[in-house]
Amino acid sequence: MNTADLGLPEEAGRDALPKKGGGGRRVGVPSTALFTDQYELTMLQAALAAGTAERRSVFEVFTRRLPEGRRYGVVAGTGRVLDAVENFRFDTDVLRFLRERGIVDEPTLEWLSSYRFGGDIWGYPEGEVYFPGSPLLRVEGSFAECVLLETVILSILNHDSAIAAAASRMASAAGDRPLIEMGARRTHELAAVAAARAAYIGGFTTTSDLAAGFRYGIPTVGTSAHAFTLLHDHERDAFRAQVDSLGRGTTLLVDTYDVAEAVRTAVEVAGPELGAVRIDSGDLLLVAHRVRQQLDELGATATKIVVTSDLDEYAIASLAAAPVDAYGVGTQLVTGSGHPTCSMVYKLVARAESADPEAPLEPVAKKSTGGKTSIGGRKWAARRLDEQGVAEAEVIGVGPVPGELADQQLLVQLVKGGQVLAREPLDVVRDRHAAARARLPLSATQLSRGEPVLPTAYV
């Protein structure tokens, strides 16, 4: 990988940069209609038969608690949800599958054949932070059109928000040092693309995954692995081949054999213009100090040090005092650093008494014990700030919004009458997250276990 691609100073390496994140391409995807659980369709069938399917309904996505020890959550995946809703279509092949399996009856298949979500969706802007009870997404329309979207929405938001939250913690621990997402080989190939997107929102700088670069415009990086060094008869031959191909600004992997000898050889081959060296094993704190001293003694004072090797936010924090210039993170990132889901749920919170479009909405909620309680009613959310502009509470309510919170509301309209309103470049989402995190109390970035940094107040 080239040091410019790492987000390091350009003079450290001059290989061509890809387009900055947030551009990307709209890639065609097949129908998302079967990214669902069977009971969504059987509920639809029964509701159609009972005459209740067209009742106006409100569903909300929220989580009752954050993963243990986390101080805040990160909303990620909203853009992918909008794509999934647009592509939720029951085409001929999908309908044939449902018919052959006898999953739903013919009247239901006929209804599904013309399905298009025509309701409204409100939500926290992507990149925003959230807390227990926050109504992250509100889906409004007929029961029939809303209930079908439950599983695909939760699948996306639970995964992407978990990755983004881990990425955000890692970015806080890294400070100004860039982070490289490199977890594609540690998860499902499609999950890897979504993880790279979520990581970029959370503060990562680049990804190794070319599919993520193609689809979302995230800057991509990569140079060589240990296999490239082992391919050659001598380490010097491998370094020479890489420098001849990629230029002196490239990053050379120096821990295949002896690190000190590799660093010496790397500088001899590339000269003091060598962009960076990468360390992938050993006591990273100790080795980084030794490598920095050696590079400086060899005159390669501008050569950067990149460390990898199964890092997480705690390992990154432990290297804060080390002469490290960038981190590469794989396994721990794409698994949510121990919390691969956010336990978000999609609950019916209000519905009309009849299919009459003018029928008023009534709050509904199941009665439950064991921590699975829900609060009925169509909710609004606001974040109360103190006199210094620092967040001090997540305020959630049903009914009129208090005047003092009117300009601090969090939900924005994402879809109106089935039409997407709020697609955004990924860089806008990434910047939003950085700003939202900066408005939280300083304790939000502590890695020690603790309660959510903001209380949730219901009014």
Side-chain angles (χ1 to χ4, degrees):
M1 64 195 67
N2 184 276
T3 53
D5 292 349
L6 295 175
L8 300 173
E10 184 177 356
E11 60 269 22
R14 299 184 180 275
D15 291 354
L17 273 171
K19 184 169 67 173
K20 283 291 291 178
R25 300 174 184 237
R26 292 295 303 281
V27 179
V29 296
S31 166
T32 55
L34 293 184
F35 292 160
T36 191
D37 291 308
Q38 181 167 317
Y39 78 169
E40 317 289 7
L41 301 188
T42 53
M43 283 192 287
L44 169 66
Q45 176 177 305
L48 287 170
T52 53
E54 295 305 317
R55 287 188 177 185
R56 191 159 57 101
S57 300
V58 179
F59 286 82
E60 289 177 351
V61 175
F62 62 94
T63 185
R64 297 182 177 95
R65 64 191 64 84
L66 297 180
E68 184 181 357
R70 294 288 169 90
R71 305 298 180 94
Y72 61 92
V74 180
V75 179
T78 308
R80 297 207 309 120
V81 165
L82 298 178
D83 290 342
V85 170
E86 279 195 334
N87 287 288
F88 207 90
R89 305 283 187 268
F90 292 83
D91 57 29
T92 301
D93 290 339
V94 170
L95 293 169
R96 181 185 302 116
F97 165 78
L98 297 175
R99 180 177 290 109
E100 291 174 349
R101 295 293 183 95
I103 291 172
V104 290
D105 60 20
E106 285 299 325
T108 305
L109 290 171
E110 179 64 25
W111 190 93
L112 291 173
S113 68
S114 59
Y115 176 85
R116 301 289 187 274
F117 178 73
D120 300 335
I121 299 178
W122 295 70
Y124 279 38
E126 190 167 19
E128 184 57 84
V129 297
Y130 71 87
F131 299 91
S134 298
L136 306 181
L137 204 72
R138 191 173 71 220
V139 182
E140 304 182 18
S142 71
F143 176 84
E145 63 184 335
C146 296
V147 74
L148 295 180
L149 300 177
E150 174 181 3
T151 303
V152 69
I153 286 176
L154 290 179
S155 176
I156 293 171
L157 292 181
N158 267 311
H159 174 269
D160 289 22
S161 296
I163 305 304
S168 180
R169 284 163 59 87
M170 293 174 189
S172 292
D176 294 332
R177 298 172 179 177
L179 290 157
I180 311 154
E181 186 281 313
M182 47 198 312
R185 64 191 61 196
R186 297 292 187 254
T187 189
H188 185 280
E189 65 272 17
L190 298 182
V193 182
R197 182 185 184 279
Y200 191 73
I201 291 170
F204 273 58
T205 309
T206 52
T207 179
S208 67
D209 192 287
L210 290 177
F214 177 80
R215 183 179 290 264
Y216 298 118
I218 302 170
T220 58
V221 297
T223 50
S224 67
H226 293 103
F228 185 75
T229 300
L230 296 169
L231 168 68
H232 294 79
D233 295 336
H234 302 285
E235 192 169 47
R236 180 181 296 272
D237 297 336
F239 288 174
R240 171 56 62 194
Q242 184 173 326
V243 170
D244 287 348
S245 176
L246 301 179
R248 296 176 185 272
T250 193
T251 299
L252 296 176
L253 182 58
V254 294
D255 71 327
T256 305
Y257 303 118
D258 179 82
V259 172
E261 181 61 29
V263 171
R264 185 178 304 109
T265 302
V267 176
E268 289 175 359
V269 169
E273 300 83 15
L274 174 63
V277 296
R278 178 162 73 97
I279 306 166
D280 188 51
S281 60
D283 183 334
L284 297 179
L285 180 62
L286 175 62
V287 175
H289 278 287
R290 288 178 174 174
V291 168
R292 181 73 271 160
Q293 180 179 355
Q294 186 181 9
L295 287 170
D296 291 346
E297 290 173 350
L298 293 169
T301 55
T303 299
K304 307 300 180 183
I305 297 175
V306 182
V307 296
T308 52
S309 188
D310 209 25
L311 299 176
D312 62 9
E313 60 265 49
Y314 302 102
I316 292 168
S318 73
L319 293 168
V324 171
D325 298 288
Y327 306 94
V329 189
T331 302
Q332 293 302 317
L333 176 69
V334 298
T335 57
S337 195
H339 298 289
T341 183
C342 302
S343 299
M344 294 177 185
V345 294
Y346 182 95
K347 296 297 181 183
L348 181 66
V349 297
R351 53 85 175 163
E353 291 183 341
S354 71
D356 183 347
E358 301 302 319
L361 289 171
E362 297 217 344
V364 293
K366 74 171 186 177
K367 294 182 179 180
S368 178
T369 58
K372 282 197 170 186
T373 57
S374 300
I375 298 175
R378 182 179 186 270
K379 299 174 194 67
W380 53 263
R383 188 160 299 143
R384 191 168 65 231
L385 308 178
D386 66 15
E387 294 178 354
Q388 285 74 45
V390 177
E392 62 180 12
E394 192 88 340
V395 185
I396 299 169
V398 176
V401 180
E404 67 272 16
L405 296 176
D407 62 349
Q408 296 174 20
Q409 294 187 72
L410 291 163
L411 279 80
V412 298
Q413 190 157 20
L414 304 173
V415 176
K416 183 176 182 180
Q419 299 299 310
V420 173
L421 303 178
R423 277 202 175 85
E424 299 178 298
L426 205 53
D427 280 332
V428 171
V429 176
R430 188 173 188 266
D431 291 345
R432 176 182 294 123
H433 174 63
R437 188 175 62 199
R439 287 191 292 269
L440 294 177
L442 287 176
S443 58
T445 60
Q446 292 179 340
L447 297 181
S448 57
R449 294 186 179 276
E451 296 301 313
V453 71
L454 295 186
T456 301
Y458 293 94
V459 296

